[in-house]
Amino acid sequence: MITIDRVSKTYAAGHQPALDDVSIQIDRGDFVFLVGSSGSGKSTLLKLMLREERPSRGDVFVAGRHVNKIPNWRVPGLRRDIGAVFQDFRLLPGKTVFDNVAFALEVIGKRRHDINTSVPEILELVGLEGKERRYPHELSGGEQQRVAVARAFVNRPPILLCDEPTGNLDPVTSVGIMRLLDRINKTGTTVVMATHDDEIVNQMRKRVIELRGGELIRDQVDGTYVREADE
Amino acid sequence: MRLRLILSETFGGLRRNATMAASVVLVTFVSMLFVGSALLAQQQVTLIEEDIASQVEVDVYLCGEVDTTLVANCAGGGVTDEQESVITDVLENGVVSDYVVDIVRVSREEFYALLLDHDTIGVIASSSAEDFGPVLRIQLTDPSYFAYIEDAVGGLDGVADVTDQADAFAALFAVLRVLTIGSIALAAVMLLTAVLLITTTIRLSALSRRRETTIMRMVGASTFVIQLPFMLEGAIAAVLGALLAVVVIYAGVVMVVEEWMRDLVTWVDYISAPDVLMIAPWILLAAVLLAALTSFATLRRYTRA
Ligand SMILES: Nc1ncnc2c1ncn2[C@@H]1O[C@H](COP(=O)(O)OP(=O)(O)O)[C@@H](O)[C@H]1O
Ligand SMILES: [Mg+2]
């Protein structure tokens, strides 16, 4: 589903590479934790998959696409196959929960009729039924992140990329989000989650890929994560 | 539906950035006012030129007694009937006859009467009709053929002088042309101002909606869907400005040209309100292109994939 083939990424000439000769293979239906301290290159790796950045060297394949080679006009198609969730939720404050989720479908040209059936479905899946008409500022952090997950997944993409989705949440709320992601993964969706939250990683017992200074230092099924002392 | 989404984004944008929209409306209004005025000024000058061109004549002055010592062709005294028929024959049947539309003969008596009319110091009154020759007023198919007429008859016996009335208007045309070029230059500067302001406005508008466009990019909206609302916003504001400009120019032509100048200077043709309607579509088109191209160029840098 996702292949990272000997990828290096250097943002500015002369600087340390953000990723250094990284190769990863992720299959359909996998749940993968991408761990490593801040600055280790986790977000960069996710951005390469989304074609927000391009590798300096190596190749990226996602959902059957040669991501670093496709022309710009095919990037929207790639992104429709990837749901993305971020630490800062990225909701539109002026839109209700329903409209925030519906927006993602509207802008890719889905019919109103389809929107009216799939949005309530997904809101039920993420546990937000009854809160459709609330605005983001009327929700807790955990609920806001559920809206973001709903928006990312409403189009049922085969891949979900999450960049520190629990980074702004307390441990209890984080567990709720993790359960949600696990449930989504059980539907066959490939989930890649960048985090440096060792508790969550150790609870879930999933595949763990660890980066340090842009280098892949561990790829372990059923992995754990021990944070480095400086964090 | 995508159209509804795009329209709601567009009008939402216009509402939220009302001040920016207003500035685009105004700058388009002013620049299109200049562009429209320059176009009309150009048309008006052309009208005057054509008008005068159709009226100016070449005057062939035949010899009178007074010319005898002054002009070589008149050494034999006043023009004789034979000399005059040779001259008339050249004009009516010679090579230059193709350029001649009409010849009006002003007899010495008529000419003398005309001179008397304009004489304020009494120098004409002290002379007589015999002192002057008759005048042949020639209307040409095109006033620029003057030189041919001068070549054909200027050297004939009995011809005192050949003059081109167009000479008298040359200075006027020069002034009008400078004014027209000035108005075009001013319009160009205004257009540049409009481009710069619209660029800034669209950029601010795009920045103020970064959150939306970021989400749109993230969920895979096409570049077209992301950019179109901004372009439409600019285009709608520009069309409003251009319409305003057309209305003001129309009112200006009706009030200044039709109601005032037409009675003030009566001997020229004027542009009229329908002429404004003729240039209106071009002004609107120019405004839309101005806004669309400017926003296209700006957006490529601010909302690209
Ligand atoms: N847009 C950028 N321009 C320059 N350097 C960047 C950029 N984004 C990230 N970096 C650098 O790349 C390295 C990896 O960053 P990142 O992928 O964000 O790590 P993580 O998500 O693991 O914290 C860091 O040293 C960071 O400073
Ligand atoms: Mg990061």
Side-chain angles (χ1 to χ4, degrees), chain A residues 52 76 79-80 84 86 90-93 103-104 106-110 112 151, chain B residues 1-2 4-5 9 211-212 214-223 225 305:
Chain A
E52 289 228 24
R79 296 201 179 137
R80 286 175 203 193
F86 301 90
R90 302 195 184 171
L91 302 179
L92 296 173
F103 185 68
E106 283 167 1
V107 299
I108 59 170
K110 284 282 191 295
R112 177 57 37 188
R151 182 181 61 198
Chain B
M1 230 205 39
R2 214 181 296 210
R4 201 170 65 180
L5 169 82
E9 283 284 306
R211 206 186 266 264
E212 269 103 325
T214 305
I215 292 168
M216 287 167 98
R217 286 197 301 121
M218 212 172 63
V219 300
S222 65
T223 317
V225 169

Side-chain angles (χ1 to χ4, degrees), chain A residues 11-12 18 36-45 47 53 163-164:
Chain A
Y11 280 104
S37 56
S38 169
S40 58
K42 306 182 295 293
S43 298
T44 300
L45 196 52
K47 283 178 186 163
E53 297 287 349
D163 195 353
E164 316 225 13

Side-chain angles (χ1 to χ4, degrees), chain B:
Chain B
M1 230 205 39
R2 214 181 296 210
L3 179 68
R4 201 170 65 180
L5 169 82
I6 288 170
L7 290 182
S8 89
E9 283 284 306
T10 305
F11 286 101
L14 284 173
R15 232 189 351 264
R16 268 173 295 170
N17 303 318
T19 328
M20 295 186 197
S23 68
V24 172
V25 170
L26 287 179
V27 77
T28 321
F29 163 60
V30 175
S31 59
M32 288 305 144
L33 200 61
F34 277 82
V35 170
S37 307
L39 284 176
L40 290 176
Q42 179 71 47
Q43 283 188 14
Q44 180 61 68
V45 168
T46 309
L47 267 184
I48 294 176
E49 280 181 343
E50 284 174 0
D51 201 34
I52 288 176
S54 72
Q55 287 175 20
V56 293
E57 293 165 337
V58 172
D59 290 336
V60 178
Y61 294 93
L62 303 181
C63 298
E65 295 295 341
V66 76
D67 302 311
T68 314
T69 52
L70 299 173
V71 184
N73 291 343
C74 302
V79 68
T80 62
D81 288 349
E82 294 82 61
Q83 284 173 339
E84 189 175 340
S85 67
V86 169
I87 295 164
T88 316
D89 189 53
V90 167
L91 290 171
E92 283 178 348
N93 306 310
V95 227
V96 294
S97 63
D98 284 349
Y99 309 135
V100 175
V101 177
D102 192 25
I103 303 176
V104 175
R105 185 179 189 278
V106 181
S107 70
R108 359 175 101 81
E109 291 73 24
E110 286 167 329
F111 186 44
Y112 183 67
L114 271 176
L115 291 175
L116 269 181
D117 273 353
H118 289 91
D119 181 32
T120 47
I121 51 173
V123 67
I124 301 294
S126 66
S127 59
S128 73
E130 292 304 312
D131 289 334
F132 302 97
V135 183
L136 301 177
R137 296 226 145 123
I138 305 165
Q139 206 194 329
L140 298 177
T141 53
D142 186 311
S144 61
Y145 293 137
F146 165 75
Y148 299 138
I149 303 295
E150 191 180 31
D151 280 354
V153 299
L156 296 179
D157 281 342
V159 174
D161 196 9
V162 183
T163 64
D164 185 5
Q165 289 184 349
D167 282 348
F169 294 103
L172 172 67
F173 287 151
V175 170
L176 287 177
R177 258 183 232 116
V178 167
L179 288 179
T180 314
I181 291 169
S183 70
I184 289 171
L186 217 53
V189 172
M190 284 312 302
L191 278 178
L192 183 66
T193 315
V195 166
L196 294 179
L197 188 85
I198 293 174
T199 306
T200 313
T201 309
I202 301 251
R203 186 182 303 160
L204 287 175
S205 183
L207 285 178
S208 78
R209 273 188 282 166
R210 259 251 162 97
R211 206 186 266 264
E212 269 103 325
T213 54
T214 305
I215 292 168
M216 287 167 98
R217 286 197 301 121
M218 212 172 63
V219 300
S222 65
T223 317
F224 178 76
V225 169
I226 297 176
Q227 298 189 346
L228 194 60
F230 294 99
M231 295 202 192
L232 286 178
E233 247 178 83
I236 288 173
V239 165
L240 282 179
L243 279 176
L244 211 58
V246 168
V247 168
V248 169
I249 293 174
Y250 190 92
V253 167
V254 168
M255 289 191 305
V256 176
V257 177
E258 297 201 336
E259 309 259 313
W260 183 56
M261 282 168 61
R262 186 156 291 180
D263 299 329
L264 197 69
V265 183
T266 50
W267 56 272
V268 273
D269 275 346
Y270 284 105
I271 50 159
S272 54
D275 291 319
V276 179
L277 299 183
M278 291 289 292
I279 62 162
W282 298 107
I283 291 185
L284 290 179
L285 187 70
V288 170
L289 283 179
L290 177 78
L293 292 179
T294 309
S295 45
F296 180 72
T298 313
L299 288 170
R300 281 204 322 170
R301 293 181 41 215
Y302 286 87
T303 56
R304 78 193 146 150

